[in-house]
Structures are given as C-alpha cells and as structure tokens.
C-alpha cells in the first residue's frame, strides 16, 4: 500500500470512531499538536520506531506529549497503530485526520508568512479578503515568520499559495535576466 493510502484509511477510521464517541474536535486539536511535535522533536520519531520500547510505552509517550487522557479514544487509537506496525505513519495519519476534520467542518487553514510580525490592522485586511473569497468557511489563522522572504508576505489557504514576497520577485527577475543572456 502507498504511504498516502494507509494514513488516509486510518484517519478515516479514527474520524468515524471519534464522531461516534463525540470527541472528534478534541482529537483534532490533539492531532494538530502531535503532527507539529512529530516534526519538531527528533526524540519522538526515534522512540516511536524503537523496537526495544514497549507498544504501551510508545502510546503513552505520544499521548502524554499532546496532553491526551489515558483510556481516551486517541489513547486506544495510538496503541492500535503501534501494535499494528503503523507507528511510522502516525504523523501522516495525524495530518490526514486534520484534513478530514477541516473538510467536514468547512475550516480553511490560512497561513500568513511575513519577514517580521505584521501589524494587526494589515493581518485583519488580509483576513477580510480571504473571508470574502471563501464565504461562510471558518478560518483557522496561523502566522509564521520567515526572514528568507526578504520582504512582502505569502498567504497559503488550504495549500494554495499567494506569493507577494520580495524573494519571489527577485527570483522572477533573475529568470528574466537569464533568458536575455
């Protein structure tokens, strides 16, 4: 099976189970945290894939890392994944679940990236434009600082990118100059 198919199937099963148990939103929040921490904490990846650590310890470690409750739906799911040899897919499963939840609840994930923190008034102006474009969708706003942009900003909405950065403009200028030579 492909890396995309396994996570999607597990995410769908978890989402269905979570909806039935009334904790889909709680699991959504916890899995957003898990996917972020999985990227940020190398120790987590090593622990999850370490065959010398028991399945129960791996599940408990991940659950504790995101602030989940023992005995919860997420606790049972994490243990199921580890026991079924799917620990290596947990980050992708988390991301797939987050995507499913957002689709089901009409949530748009908006990432505004700038070189320095943007004044609230400018952020609100961007958000107003996005709201007009997306209509009744709920917006989940994330602000990121990336000095490599040099200036300007980017807005990413569910994977679609509007790039108004100086970095992009300089790259376009470089390409135009290369074409002339």
């Amino acid at each position: 099976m492909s890396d995309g198919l396994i996570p999607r199937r597990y995410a769908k099963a978890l989402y269905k189970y979570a909806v039935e148990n009334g904790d889909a939103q709680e699991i959504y929040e916890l899995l957003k945290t898990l996917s972020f921490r999985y990227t940020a904490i190398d120790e987590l990846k090593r622990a999850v894939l370490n065959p010398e650590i028991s399945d129960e310890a791996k599940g408990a470690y991940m659950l504790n890392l995101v602030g989940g409750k023992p005995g919860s739906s997420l606790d049972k799911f994490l243990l199921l994944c580890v026991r079924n040899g799917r620990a290596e897919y947990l980050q992708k499963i988390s991301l797939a679940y987050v995507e499913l939840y957002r689709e089901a609840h009409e949530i748009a994930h908006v990432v505004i990236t700038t070189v320095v923190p943007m004044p609230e008034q400018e952020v609100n102006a961007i958000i107003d434009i996005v709201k007009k474009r997306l209509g009744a969708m709920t917006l989940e706003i994330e602000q990121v600082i990336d000095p490599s942009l040099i200036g300007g900003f980017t807005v990413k909405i569910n994977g679609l990118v509007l790039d108004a950065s100086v970095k992009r403009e300089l790259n376009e200028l470089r390409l135009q100059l290369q074409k002339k030579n």
Side-chain angles (χ1 to χ4, degrees):
M1 272 193 214
S2 80
D3 280 1
L5 188 58
I6 292 169
R8 188 92 175 148
R9 284 184 177 174
Y10 273 76
K12 282 182 178 181
L14 176 58
Y15 182 73
K16 182 178 178 183
Y17 181 72
V19 168
E20 289 170 1
N21 290 314
D23 54 4
Q25 182 177 359
E26 177 185 351
I27 290 175
Y28 168 69
E29 296 297 336
L30 294 173
L31 289 182
K32 282 194 310 184
T33 302
L34 181 63
S35 65
F36 171 76
R37 293 204 172 146
Y38 208 92
T39 303
I41 303 172
D42 288 331
E43 178 186 323
L44 173 59
K45 290 177 239 178
R46 286 192 301 273
V48 167
L49 299 176
N50 187 338
E52 295 182 17
I53 299 174
S54 73
D55 293 345
E56 288 76 12
K58 290 176 185 179
Y61 176 65
M62 287 183 283
L63 190 68
N64 185 47
L65 194 63
V66 298
K69 297 175 230 139
S72 67
S73 299
L74 183 58
D75 184 22
K76 294 172 188 171
F77 180 77
L78 292 172
L79 188 56
L80 173 82
C81 287
V82 173
R83 284 185 177 156
N84 286 341
R86 301 299 193 208
E88 66 186 275
Y89 296 106
L90 279 168
Q91 182 183 24
K92 290 180 181 179
I93 292 169
S94 298
L95 293 170
Y97 180 93
V98 166
E99 184 180 316
L100 283 170
Y101 185 89
R102 285 179 177 151
E103 287 172 10
H105 293 87
E106 295 187 340
I107 298 171
H109 184 226
V110 180
V111 181
I112 301 170
T113 306
T114 56
V115 176
V116 295
M118 188 178 264
E120 188 176 338
Q121 185 177 7
E122 291 178 27
V123 171
N124 289 338
I126 292 171
I127 291 169
D128 287 343
I129 293 168
V130 172
K131 281 181 181 177
K132 286 178 187 172
R133 180 82 173 148
L134 297 178
M137 289 187 84
T138 301
L139 300 184
E140 194 174 84
I141 309 296
E142 180 181 347
Q143 293 184 32
V144 176
I145 303 300
D146 180 2
S148 75
L149 293 181
I150 304 169
F153 63 91
T154 64
V155 178
K156 186 176 178 182
I157 306 166
N158 295 336
L160 178 67
V161 179
L162 165 67
D163 192 340
S165 68
V166 172
K167 180 180 179 179
R168 180 195 51 81
E169 291 177 13
L170 289 173
N171 281 337
E172 286 180 4
L173 181 61
R174 180 183 53 81
L175 290 172
Q176 288 176 1
L177 290 173
Q178 286 176 343
K179 284 181 183 177
K180 288 183 180 182
N181 291 331

